[in-house]
Amino acid sequence: MPTTPAVPDGKRPTLAHVAARAGVSVALVSIVMRGAYGASATTRERVLKAAEEIGYRPDTRARVLRSNRSRLLGVQFGLRHPFHTDLVEGIYAAAEPAGYQVALSAVAPTRGERQAVEALLADRCEALVLLGPEVPAARLAQLATQVPVVSVARRLRPAPPAVDVVRTADDEGARQAVDHLVALGHRAIAHIDGGRAPGAADRRRGYRTAMHRHGLDGHVRVLPGGLTEDDGARGARTLLGEASTSRPSAVLAFNDRCATGVLDTLLRAGVFVPGDISVVGFDDTSLSRLAHIDLTTVAQDVPRLAELAVGRAIARLDGGAVPDGEQVVAPHLVVRGTSAPPAAG
């Protein structure tokens, strides 16, 4: 193999360095890197090996600037939401085989949704996949006049015609959780809700509907909650402030993080789970599957949600068929170690 000209210190290896290393023309290296026709299998292998040896990486941003298409899907996600992390992984798995790359922009306490979206648009993202957006529907409709917009994990009432919606049947998930607890023998089942978070209203409604169907209207109790462990802990402290005889025997938390706060607070107070109180979460995040948590929870079908969201975005971009209306994915209950029959007496 030809001797490689030294790559100057601190400089990024170029196509010319790869070509010299492989003993071929720069044009042929370009063909290989673009995955285009015109290079034999042997040549392709030699070029790729040379690129690996000198640490060459294609400059995707430069390629985007030269092209009329970026083939970038912009994903807005919540930095503190484990469920969003799972969704992002699913979006990568769905987008890359279709020839699209993913650009991420996080929402954090010091970084709002508008800033996150503007960063994605500045990166020339062709479509936006927004995980649990909280901005008004009118803002989503405005964004949809610029690029295709897919809202994931939030019901929009009504959904702007140009905004695609992919979500879980949150009310059905809450009903499954209540049905499970009632089947174990629980009657006094409380719900620590999600406040104004996406999905919270549907989960509250599903909880109330299921309690009513089981004839447990007198036991309906909704405590203010939210998305975080602190919200769950606050709800649990409210319950602990009551006489043990009046406490519920089971709690359905808004999500797994909220449920984790409930578990921690009960444990510190010497209340045994599930012996004294059963706890059920929602989302089936990696958090719930940790051995020391082992949380019974309602699983959202993350691969399906991601597949549908990416599919909708790409269909809008490539002129494919787009289903009418929102797409709603069924959840399913995952029973683990935090739910059991209520204590006798």
Side-chain angles (χ1 to χ4, degrees):
M1 181 173 289
T3 302
T4 308
V7 178
D9 289 342
K11 298 294 184 180
R12 183 187 182 111
T14 66
L15 290 179
H17 292 108
V18 178
R21 178 74 174 180
V24 298
S25 68
V26 173
L28 192 52
V29 172
S30 177
I31 287 173
V32 171
M33 293 303 168
R34 288 184 287 112
Y37 294 104
S40 68
T42 301
T43 298
R44 189 176 301 276
E45 181 180 356
R46 187 163 79 246
V47 168
L48 293 176
K49 181 179 180 182
E52 181 180 2
E53 289 173 345
I54 67 172
Y56 173 80
R57 297 290 184 275
D59 189 342
T60 55
R61 289 187 178 272
R63 186 166 63 227
V64 164
L65 292 173
R66 293 192 299 268
S67 170
N68 292 326
R69 295 279 313 267
S70 70
R71 302 190 73 82
L72 270 177
L73 302 181
V75 178
Q76 172 194 286
F77 70 104
L79 194 62
R80 295 187 172 185
H81 299 328
F83 176 59
H84 287 188
T85 303
D86 294 343
L87 276 172
V88 167
E89 184 177 354
I91 288 169
Y92 273 114
E96 291 181 346
Y100 282 80
Q101 296 298 311
V102 175
L104 301 178
S105 191
V107 176
T110 58
R111 191 173 194 260
E113 291 189 13
R114 182 175 293 273
Q115 187 176 355
V117 165
E118 290 302 324
L120 294 172
L121 295 175
D123 279 345
R124 294 188 63 201
C125 291
E126 294 187 324
L128 298 176
V129 179
L130 309 179
L131 307 186
E134 298 187 22
V135 295
R139 168 61 176 164
L140 299 179
Q142 179 188 38
L143 288 171
T145 65
Q146 304 175 55
V147 294
V149 173
V150 183
S151 171
V152 182
R154 174 188 172 185
R155 180 198 288 267
L156 295 173
R157 292 182 171 179
V163 177
D164 290 299
V165 175
V166 175
R167 65 177 181 86
T168 292
D170 290 289
D171 51 352
E172 171 60 23
R175 286 197 294 268
Q176 288 181 21
V178 171
D179 289 349
H180 166 66
L181 292 168
V182 170
L184 290 173
H186 294 277
R187 294 177 59 80
I189 304 167
H191 176 44
I192 300 177
D193 80 353
R196 300 182 64 181
D202 284 348
R203 295 178 195 182
R204 273 194 302 273
R205 183 174 64 255
Y207 160 76
R208 291 181 181 276
T209 299
M211 293 291 282
H212 174 74
R213 191 177 70 244
H214 289 291
L216 300 175
D217 297 85
H219 293 285
V220 168
R221 186 174 182 189
V222 178
L223 287 81
L227 292 159
T228 70
E229 293 88 350
D230 287 344
D231 295 314
R234 185 171 59 251
R237 286 194 295 270
T238 298
L239 298 178
L240 290 172
E242 304 169 353
S244 58
T245 54
S246 63
R247 291 174 193 161
S249 63
V251 173
L252 168 61
F254 170 68
N255 65 8
D256 291 346
R257 288 186 66 192
C258 183
T260 302
V262 173
L263 293 174
D264 180 68
T265 302
L266 294 179
L267 176 65
R268 292 174 185 273
V271 177
F272 182 61
V273 176
D276 298 320
I277 298 180
S278 287
V279 177
V280 178
F282 206 113
D283 291 340
D284 192 31
T285 60
S286 55
L287 186 69
S288 69
R289 298 189 287 273
L290 293 174
H292 68 286
I293 294 180
D294 197 32
L295 180 68
T296 294
T297 185
V298 177
Q300 301 199 55
D301 189 343
V302 168
R304 183 61 176 156
L305 289 169
E307 176 188 1
L308 291 174
V310 170
R312 283 248 180 168
I314 292 176
R316 293 283 185 188
L317 293 170
D318 296 348
V322 180
D324 293 331
E326 63 181 12
Q327 289 183 283
V328 183
V329 178
H332 67 276
L333 186 73
V334 179
V335 178
R336 297 195 180 97
T338 59
S339 58

